[in-house]
Amino acid sequence: MKLQDYIDHLDKLAFENMYGSDFFLTWEKSDDEIAATFLVADALRHLRQSNTSTRIFDSGLAISQFRDNSTRTRFSFASACNMLGLEVQDLDEEKSQIAHGETIRETSNMISFMADVIGIRDDMYIGKGNEYMRMVADAVQEGWEDGLLEQRPSLINLQCDIDHPTQCMADMLHIIHHFGGTKNLKGKKLAMSWAYSPSYGKPLSVPQGVIGLMTRMGMDVVLAHPEGYEVMANVEDVAIRNSKASGGSFQKTSSMKEAFSGADIVYPKSWAPYAAMEERTLLYEKRDFEGIGELEKSLLAKNAVHKDWECTEDMMALTRDKSALYMHCLPADISGVSCVQGEVASSVFDRYRIPLYKQAGYKPYIIAAMIFLSKIKDPQKTLLTMRDRKLKRFFD
Amino acid sequence: MKLQDYIDHLDKLAFENMYGSDFFLTWEKSDDEIAATFLVADALRHLRQSNTSTRIFDSGLAISQFRDNSTRTRFSFASACNMLGLEVQDLDEEKSQIAHGETIRETSNMISFMADVIGIRDDMYIGKGNEYMRMVADAVQEGWEDGLLEQRPSLINLQCDIDHPTQCMADMLHIIHHFGGTKNLKGKKLAMSWAYSPSYGKPLSVPQGVIGLMTRMGMDVVLAHPEGYEVMANVEDVAIRNSKASGGSFQKTSSMKEAFSGADIVYPKSWAPYAAMEERTLLYEKRDFEGIGELEKSLLAKNAVHKDWECTEDMMALTRDKSALYMHCLPADISGVSCVQGEVASSVFDRYRIPLYKQAGYKPYIIAAMIFLSKIKDPQKTLLTMRDRKLKRFFD
Amino acid sequence: MKLQDYIDHLDKLAFENMYGSDFFLTWEKSDDEIAATFLVADALRHLRQSNTSTRIFDSGLAISQFRDNSTRTRFSFASACNMLGLEVQDLDEEKSQIAHGETIRETSNMISFMADVIGIRDDMYIGKGNEYMRMVADAVQEGWEDGLLEQRPSLINLQCDIDHPTQCMADMLHIIHHFGGTKNLKGKKLAMSWAYSPSYGKPLSVPQGVIGLMTRMGMDVVLAHPEGYEVMANVEDVAIRNSKASGGSFQKTSSMKEAFSGADIVYPKSWAPYAAMEERTLLYEKRDFEGIGELEKSLLAKNAVHKDWECTEDMMALTRDKSALYMHCLPADISGVSCVQGEVASSVFDRYRIPLYKQAGYKPYIIAAMIFLSKIKDPQKTLLTMRDRKLKRFFD
């Protein structure tokens, strides 16, 4: 494709509301807005691959705040900001004065005088992460309206308790390219399945993000998990609404086999039960560390019952033509590699290593597209100007 | 104002000695140099707000060293360096080899081969922070004279035991704009007052910096604190000299009410007694941690007697037209918000939130102006060239 | 020299294999490649000193991974990347998800989607550091061949268990300039000598790197150490081969005095015995911390016997004209300064402070040259274009 092709597609979409907006949850964005994000991600990749500078900032800061460990998303955010010309400045709460009891409103403004973007990961506690991001966004909105900030930094959700939009959008773009376009996804079966892990307490944001987004493409999405591993009910409602609107379906099962049978895409991954995570959040609030210890013990015991929820070769053999697209947000718990028994058999994982890494490779561009669409008033024009200004990324 | 207006003002001032100089203490700078810093800060803001690139560096490093926690100053320094085109590289003593007993002279040169700026916060120990900065500055001066460094990095004091110039200059610029220019400050009453905090041991650099700078503007500056909370005597001497030269006054009182009565500006803030901080420094040198524990206990007890030193609504009612400009370097200890009882009533703080955040917003530009004036030989010419080269900060 | 002089020299050398290559060990590079690295380092310095921008990247990331503390190399790497236009993003294993048991292959690709360079320091365990770097390099090579990475990041060895090429190349360039060119090095005597330090366990990479590189210049290289402080045998083999090929010599002695006698260059420095470091690596693998404690004790006792291995004035008096060039990679253990008794007398160190700092100052340019030669297909042409595009580093 040429850059003009992406432009022509964009011309048919209505996404002007993305200008100046934040990116919290995919289901707050219209179908056109989601489509525009994919197109801009691809267009930016197209430009960079042809050694064209994609900088839209001569100077400016991007603030990152990671309240949980991160490798992929940290480097994806850094890459996205760097390719647009922003320098990442990390807000490390341990080295800041936030401990003094400073309010979120205050800190948010204090770090934003020259910030164009704020990216936040806050996925540890149910009911907290997304709320925190919105408080930050409200604070800088107010600061901007009050004339305190020279620009309104755009907030990008780098994973919260509800959704993981940069991950799931990258996942979706991978699927789109794998199957040769959105038009080919109608009727494809996707199995978002729980899988066993020797750890417990992994975030719910990926399974929730996946059913919240992938149900929009006319696919038959199946959510599979053992009893007691429910995700948030209101995200399931989103999935139901989406599937109806897109002409696909959303179903639940407590059988991994059923989910895998005839599936075109499988996404087996461990997560913690929603109710347990909610309980843990309350225990943390009470600083009841004994209670947390007991909860962990019971969760691990509960987990251990479901060691058969593993993406083995036998499971893969149930999928369409025995060759469904295997997906994972990484890192995966690979049996015999990173743990004794885990989410996936090493032979399966190894066979899909290249597509898995490719899947991850979309994230920098997805983040860059989110920022681009939030910052640029006329994206088509700016993309063309980028092409025509003849500025190389790498001068050799 | 147009950019030319700032240029015209600058043309009337003598500040050529700032070229190649460091910024340690405001009282080492002439009135013209202080005025030039404010003008350049405003001019840089003017350029950035009109989406003009303020980069003077194509590449180059700015080194930061924070020996105490920081949010505002850290992000202000990062913003200032970024808008001038420098990348911040933090010297984290824990991750470096400084622990090996390396000398300050050596480390200073080792990090400076490509450094254009060094910003240091070192405010913990009396008689140490400012001294440390001067040792670093001397070391890089020597390294430059010996031909080891290709450029002489400029040192910016990001808070020491004596002064907090980037804070107090931002405070002053806020006052200047609030009252419509330096010319309107003559005879205005400013109360720099101690206030109660449940913590103890806050640096003296802000009250000292305030009386050392604000006495230069013809204002009536009152320093108020309970007995035993004296600041450094030689900074008081600076304040006395300044007030005489500027036609203002400098007075001391041990009554918060007296200080607030008829004040146009109030700056209530906790700090530790100078003598106690000196004692603590000696105890740290001896590694007498038991002694430090006892000192802390006695300081907290001493503090607790002065809980009435709070900026309440009643206190504010004593000020001119009951509406003095309330100032704080942030974060403040807000009663009922960040502590049970603290420096300021929450209703007062809330009413002044916007001016307080605006006050903080001057700091990036003050730091950028300090760097700019140290690096640029003909600032007026460079500012005009910046305007005329038509390089946008944000390309949309 | 003019830029054209560097170009003329480069024109006579064959170094096209450096394009797209990594830099692991100096002895994997041909004499022409080593010479080209020095020329490009000098040419880049020439350009920067004449205020010419040396950026070849408009945007892009350089990944650093420091598995050991670092000041000099950290800032040198940051400087080198910055002057070429790359932003450093540090891979901090504590803040990443590597602990989850993620494979090196996976992490290497995950951080490299937009990485042009990866610099790694991994010098702690014998048989591990260099191996780790090669695993990372293999992983990104595979990722690039599989179409996962848009560019193949070049790997730069920032110190491993075998060699410290950025240090030793900087050392060598210092020697070349000190003696007025490579042509004057023939027959010069260089003493790479063990020296006493109150600590133990310093890496072997510097003495090994020195004998592996400096034997290529026709010099008479002497390696001196007490019995039991042997370096890796295969690096000694490299030194023997090199010295034969270059017409110099490589000898060993257990007498510091013998090594210093008539030496033109002395490099006295502590290191740990190879065999002991190998033992320590095995103990760490077994997590035998008691064993490590005992090993440390015995090493310190063994060390203490050799306190006379100090670079004193008496020792220096044995050297040619009593004024050999004293070298050290820094920080040195200076007797009476950073320790009671150490590697060097303070009067000796002080007299050589300026050349020592100069020595360190070559490292940023050496690293930049390594990156440049790996990335740029026609270095001479690019250097000339840099000169002629009239882009200033610092716009004043």
Side-chain angles (χ1 to χ4, degrees), chain A residues 287-313:
Chain A
R287 302 191 162 276
D288 178 357
F289 296 106
E290 204 182 311
I292 291 168
E294 277 166 35
L295 178 64
E296 290 185 4
K297 218 185 283 177
S298 81
L299 283 171
L300 285 171
K302 193 175 160 184
N303 253 12
V305 178
H306 304 295
K307 289 197 180 173
D308 55 326
W309 285 68
E310 183 187 347
C311 181
T312 58
E313 293 288 2

Side-chain angles (χ1 to χ4, degrees), chain B residues 56-60 63 87 89 95-97 101-102 105-106 110 114 116 142 146 148 150-151 385, chain C residues 45 48 53 55 70-72 75 79 82 92 331 338 349 353-354 357 361 365 392-395:
Chain B
I56 51 174
F57 294 96
D58 168 74
S59 58
I63 314 297
E87 188 183 342
Q89 180 72 13
K95 291 186 180 176
S96 76
Q97 296 188 321
E102 192 174 319
R105 181 159 69 171
E106 189 166 310
M110 293 303 115
M114 294 196 184
D116 290 292
E142 201 183 334
D146 291 340
L148 302 170
E150 290 172 15
Q151 64 293 310
T385 311
Chain C
R45 182 192 282 265
R48 196 178 193 272
S53 167
R55 287 184 71 153
S70 171
T71 311
R72 263 151 291 275
F75 278 80
S79 298
N82 176 270
D92 185 335
S338 46
F349 188 88
R353 197 183 52 77
I354 292 179
Y357 289 9
Y365 289 107
K392 287 182 175 183
R393 177 189 88 84
F394 168 51
F395 159 79

Side-chain angles (χ1 to χ4, degrees), chain A residues 77-336:
Chain A
F77 185 69
S79 298
C81 294
N82 176 269
M83 70 177 279
L84 297 176
L86 296 173
E87 188 183 342
V88 173
Q89 180 73 14
D90 195 49
L91 175 61
D92 184 335
E93 290 176 86
E94 281 171 35
K95 291 185 180 177
S96 76
Q97 297 189 320
I98 295 170
H100 288 258
E102 194 175 317
T103 61
I104 291 170
R105 180 159 69 170
E106 190 166 309
T107 306
S108 303
N109 278 282
M110 294 303 115
I111 62 175
S112 297
F113 292 121
M114 295 195 184
D116 289 292
V117 179
I118 302 175
I120 300 176
R121 160 163 295 185
D122 189 348
D123 59 354
M124 299 288 274
Y125 303 112
I126 293 293
K128 302 287 176 190
N130 197 267
E131 192 181 283
Y132 173 73
M133 291 173 196
R134 292 188 196 261
M135 287 168 78
V136 172
D138 288 349
V140 295
Q141 177 68 27
E142 201 182 334
W144 185 60
E145 286 169 5
D146 291 342
L148 302 170
L149 303 182
E150 289 172 15
Q151 65 292 311
R152 161 62 159 87
S154 308
L155 206 138
I156 307 290
N157 174 358
L158 299 177
Q159 188 174 8
C160 70
D161 51 320
I162 304 174
D163 195 5
H164 193 344
T166 65
Q167 178 65 48
C168 298
M169 293 285 284
D171 295 343
M172 191 71 239
L173 190 52
H174 176 52
I175 292 173
I176 291 170
H177 283 295
H178 183 83
F179 289 98
T182 314
K183 61 184 185 305
N184 298 328
L185 298 181
K186 192 96 193 167
K188 289 277 183 297
K189 180 175 177 184
L190 181 148
M192 177 73 237
S193 175
W194 190 87
Y196 169 76
S197 157
S199 85
Y200 83 98
K202 296 201 175 172
L204 293 132
S205 52
V206 167
Q208 291 175 168
V210 164
I211 65 166
L213 176 63
M214 314 243 165
T215 45
R216 300 174 77 154
M217 306 289 159
M219 293 197 285
D220 296 320
V221 175
V222 179
L223 177 66
H225 57 76
E227 230 175 288
Y229 285 83
E230 277 70 27
V231 302
M232 286 180 173
N234 52 357
V235 181
E236 290 191 359
D237 292 344
V238 167
I240 293 165
R241 269 203 313 277
N242 282 346
S243 60
K244 280 183 187 154
S246 74
S249 67
F250 174 66
Q251 279 179 303
K252 289 170 62 178
T253 171
S254 57
S255 158
M256 195 182 193
K257 283 186 185 170
E258 193 185 313
F260 269 53
S261 293
D264 298 278
I265 305 159
V266 294
Y267 205 135
K269 197 207 164 299
S270 170
W271 67 80
Y274 170 61
M277 288 300 95
E278 212 168 17
E279 195 183 335
R280 190 178 65 158
T281 301
L282 292 171
L283 291 168
Y284 264 107
E285 274 176 7
K286 291 189 221 156
R287 302 191 162 276
D288 178 357
F289 296 106
E290 204 182 311
I292 291 168
E294 277 166 35
L295 178 64
E296 290 185 4
K297 218 185 283 177
S298 81
L299 283 171
L300 285 171
K302 193 175 160 184
N303 253 12
V305 178
H306 304 295
K307 289 197 180 173
D308 55 326
W309 285 68
E310 183 187 347
C311 181
T312 58
E313 293 288 2
D314 285 350
M315 281 291 180
M316 288 303 291
L318 299 173
T319 66
R320 182 177 309 270
D321 303 330
K322 304 184 180 183
S323 60
L325 178 65
Y326 166 79
M327 295 181 76
H328 199 285
C329 53
L330 304 178
D333 288 322
I334 308 164
S335 302

